[in-house]
Amino acid sequence: MSETMADFEKELEASLRPINEGDIVEGIVTIVDEDAAYVDFNYHIQGVVKRADFSDDPSFNMHTVKEGDKITAEVISTDDGKGNVALSVKNAVRSLAWDTCRKYLEEAQPVTVKIGGIVNKGVIAYLEGLRGFIPVSQLALGYVEDTNEFLGKTVEALVITVDEKKNRLVLSVRELLQKRQQEEKEARINSLTKGTILEGKVEKLMPYGAFIDLGEGLSGLVHISQISRKRIASPGEVLKVGQTVKVKVQKVEDGKIGLTMKSLEESAPAEEIDNRPKISYKDEGEATTGLASLLAGIKLD
């Protein structure tokens, strides 16, 4: 008996709760006619959903609504003039759709949409029943010359703008592709281990070192102190842009790859090379290799 009273008190409290326009409620269809459906949503008066408030689809038929159906609707008026609470299913669907799109935006969750129309400076794609816009600059990583090529295609994108008040929903294929490229790059970098020997091409020379293109979008730096065992004043003394070189991974830190070349050199110890005297040449005349020159100064008895 106590449980029954508790249930009764709970239902009474729910039925007396305040209802405001814009609230989303759930209820059970109790009566259906040609023009409307009446709904019990645990309130002291019933709700009513007119045919026009079910869907914008002109082919919608009230015969698809059955007694006992559970529906979610938005309160559009607390009094329709006939003692009912006016409800709208299509508004609720739309409101929940905006909530869902906001969640996609906050969580950076990829969504799959179909391109359903071409407009000026972009294309149209529907998400959760809402009309979304993809600017032409956000359709691909590169330049898109003809947007008509995308019509009817299914693409993955990120939601980048959600503004319910302005009815503005913007998506980007480009941002998703860039994000995945970056994730793949980071995975490749993190897979490198110290001591790994790689082959690459010199892509840029700087006073402090050389950048080496390792392929697959990866680039590493060989500091000037790691280029050669002999002392050099600039990387250009031993390297040139476009040259293929072998390098060893020295460290991977904060997404950057540190490389070394001198440890791969097959030459004398560093101390011996570093202390080699520097030789300068001066042009003091014509060099000759004639026999007379070779025999000059030799006395014969």
Side-chain angles (χ1 to χ4, degrees):
M1 185 67 177
S2 60
E3 290 183 358
T4 303
M5 285 299 296
D7 292 341
F8 174 75
E9 289 175 359
K10 185 177 180 180
E11 291 178 7
L12 180 62
E13 182 180 349
S15 68
L16 296 176
R17 73 188 187 280
I19 293 293
N20 301 300
E21 292 182 8
D23 287 352
I24 303 296
V25 299
E26 295 181 348
I28 304 294
V29 175
T30 56
I31 302 173
V32 182
D33 60 30
E34 292 294 326
D35 300 313
Y38 295 87
V39 182
D40 176 6
F41 62 103
N42 201 23
Y43 195 56
H44 65 277
I45 56 177
Q46 67 181 353
V48 60
V49 184
K50 294 183 178 179
R51 183 187 181 284
D53 290 316
F54 265 103
S55 174
D56 285 326
D57 186 347
S59 65
F60 174 78
N61 194 312
M62 286 299 297
H63 292 301
T64 60
V65 183
K66 306 295 182 183
E67 292 182 9
D69 285 352
K70 293 181 179 180
I71 66 168
T72 300
E74 179 183 310
V75 176
I76 55 178
S77 174
T78 55
D79 187 353
D80 68 346
K82 297 181 180 179
N84 303 307
V85 175
L87 303 173
S88 172
V89 170
K90 67 180 184 182
N91 281 13
V93 170
R94 188 175 181 81
S95 180
L96 293 173
W98 282 109
D99 289 342
T100 301
C101 288
R102 273 188 287 271
K103 183 178 179 182
Y104 292 150
L105 174 63
E106 293 167 1
E107 298 180 357
Q109 180 178 334
V111 296
T112 302
V113 294
K114 186 175 182 180
I115 308 300
I118 307 296
V119 294
N120 185 32
K121 298 182 180 180
V123 300
I124 298 301
Y126 288 87
L127 177 62
E128 300 295 331
L130 300 177
R131 184 179 187 270
F133 175 62
I134 305 178
V136 65
S137 62
Q138 299 297 319
L139 269 172
L141 287 173
Y143 174 73
V144 175
E145 185 173 354
D146 185 9
T147 55
N148 287 290
E149 296 177 359
F150 288 84
L151 187 61
K153 289 187 176 181
T154 298
V155 298
E156 280 191 289
L158 289 176
V159 176
I160 58 175
T161 302
V162 178
D163 192 331
E164 185 176 357
K165 290 183 179 179
K166 293 183 179 180
N167 196 33
R168 191 163 181 259
L169 177 64
V170 184
L171 302 95
S172 172
V173 176
R174 181 187 178 121
E175 286 201 13
L176 179 59
L177 294 177
Q178 288 177 329
K179 179 183 177 183
R180 287 180 173 168
Q181 273 191 340
Q182 184 60 31
E183 289 172 348
E184 291 172 1
K185 181 179 179 179
E186 289 175 359
R188 289 195 295 271
I189 290 175
N190 293 332
S191 69
L192 295 176
T193 56
K194 183 177 180 179
T196 302
I197 297 175
L198 304 167
E199 188 172 88
K201 286 189 176 182
V202 179
E203 61 178 348
K204 185 187 294 185
L205 296 178
M206 301 297 288
Y208 52 82
F211 285 96
I212 310 299
D213 179 3
L214 302 172
E216 296 186 322
L218 300 187
S219 178
L221 172 67
V222 183
H223 189 268
I224 189 171
S225 64
Q226 294 297 320
I227 291 177
S228 176
R229 292 188 182 186
K230 65 181 181 181
R231 291 171 182 165
I232 58 175
S234 70
E237 291 183 28
V238 293
L239 295 174
K240 62 181 180 180
V241 174
Q243 180 181 349
T244 299
V245 295
K246 282 189 177 182
V247 293
K248 181 187 286 187
V249 176
Q250 190 176 40
K251 65 177 179 178
V252 177
E253 187 174 278
D254 298 327
K256 296 179 181 178
I257 306 170
L259 304 170
T260 179
M261 292 173 60
K262 72 178 185 180
S263 65
L264 297 176
E265 285 185 349
E266 295 179 358
S267 56
E271 293 79 5
E272 180 181 336
I273 296 176
D274 287 345
N275 293 322
R276 286 179 181 176
K278 292 186 177 180
I279 302 173
S280 59
Y281 296 90
K282 184 177 180 182
D283 185 6
E284 297 180 342
E286 182 180 356
T288 61
T289 56
L291 179 61
S293 297
L294 293 173
L295 297 177
I298 299 177
K299 293 182 180 181
L300 300 175
D301 293 329

